Amino acid sequence: MRLVIARCSVDYAGRLTAHLPSAPRLILVKADGSVSVHADDRAYKPLNWMSPPCTLKEGAQDEEGVWTVINKAGEKLIITMEEILHDSTHELGVDPGLIKDGVEAHLQELLADRIDTLGEGYTLIRREYMTAIGPVDILCRDAEGRTVAVEIKRRGEIDGVEQLTRYLELLNRDPHLAPVRGIFAAQEIKPQARVLATDRGIGCAVLDYDALRGIEDDKLRLF
């Protein structure tokens, strides 16, 4: 991972345009090729970013100090460096991945074994489907053969919807999978998370742990 702290301005040119005026910012360049620009707020969320696959070109001579990040769709993230305050590279190695709590991991296992509870005709592609930004909990197909990505949480909050949104953005770039829709599944889904999911066209499923274990009614409540 490369960490750059610089005074810079940022311009995005693609499906829309956006401009960040000059200010000190943190720029992360990860091993997967992604580039993200951060301010000293907003928690983990970047101000702007380019997801992989993409290429980074650092300007030379007349364009010295200009970084151009281009994805396969031709969209550009142009970072104009005015002053570099810090520039370092660190080898992080292979990450062991997130270790989920027992209930969440068991929910994933149970739902994968009984994937048809999401709907008649659903079939499992695989659990922990790996992407460049992490594993999708469950990847499956619905009765019409369309790809569905399922993110599973014990308690469904906005962060989980944001995580699934990032997965969907990446998966929909794969012509072998697209179009991919999402289902946000949890034992409890917060109202704000449900509103955000609905706004983004993501379905919500409330999981009944006992029902998935076959103790009670085995139907999920889909909203």
Side-chain angles (χ1 to χ4, degrees):
M1 178 182 290
R2 184 178 178 186
L3 307 176
V4 178
I5 299 175
R7 178 173 292 278
C8 62
S9 60
V10 183
D11 292 277
Y12 174 82
R15 290 167 293 180
L16 49 80
T17 59
H19 174 72
L20 293 171
S22 176
R25 297 189 175 93
L26 167 66
I27 303 164
L28 300 183
V29 183
K30 295 187 178 181
D32 63 5
S34 64
V35 178
S36 56
V37 181
H38 299 258
D40 200 10
D41 61 6
R42 296 166 57 94
Y44 62 88
K45 297 179 181 179
L47 295 166
N48 215 326
W49 70 95
M50 194 69 82
S51 300
C54 57
T55 58
L56 167 61
K57 178 183 176 182
E58 297 185 43
Q61 297 178 355
D62 59 327
E63 290 188 342
E64 186 175 1
V66 177
W67 288 16
T68 303
V69 188
I70 306 175
N71 66 15
K72 66 178 183 179
E75 298 168 320
K76 294 182 180 181
L77 189 67
I78 302 169
I79 306 172
T80 303
M81 304 289 189
E82 298 173 10
E83 180 184 8
I84 294 180
L85 307 173
H86 176 86
D87 189 346
S88 63
T89 302
H90 308 269
E91 294 293 336
L92 302 185
V94 178
D95 191 89
L98 177 68
I99 299 175
K100 300 179 180 180
D101 66 58
V103 173
E104 191 172 307
H106 200 201
L107 280 170
Q108 182 193 119
E109 181 182 351
L110 289 169
L111 186 56
D113 287 342
R114 307 181 67 181
I115 197 65
D116 60 339
T117 56
L118 284 174
E120 185 177 351
Y122 273 68
T123 56
L124 178 69
I125 296 176
R126 67 166 297 167
R127 290 172 54 197
E128 299 287 333
Y129 184 89
M130 186 56 64
T131 73
I133 57 174
V136 177
D137 286 335
I138 290 178
L139 198 68
C140 57
R141 295 194 188 279
D142 63 17
E144 285 73 42
R146 295 171 298 187
T147 310
V148 181
V150 184
E151 180 64 26
I152 299 172
K153 300 293 184 185
R154 186 167 60 86
R155 181 178 293 107
E157 301 186 19
I158 285 178
D159 286 353
V161 179
E162 295 283 8
Q163 182 180 358
L164 179 54
T165 300
R166 292 193 294 272
Y167 287 144
L168 290 172
E169 180 183 351
L170 192 61
L171 291 169
N172 272 299
R173 296 179 182 178
D174 186 338
H176 299 293
L177 298 175
V180 185
R181 65 183 182 90
I183 293 179
F184 187 50
Q187 288 181 285
E188 174 193 359
I189 299 178
K190 297 294 185 180
Q192 299 92 333
R194 187 184 299 281
V195 170
L196 181 61
T198 300
D199 182 66
R200 295 183 177 180
I202 294 172
C204 292
V206 177
L207 302 178
D208 187 319
Y209 186 71
D210 288 335
L212 284 173
R213 294 169 62 200
I215 294 176
E216 295 177 359
D217 189 329
D218 65 356
K219 293 181 180 178
L220 293 180
R221 297 188 297 277
L222 293 175
F223 302 89

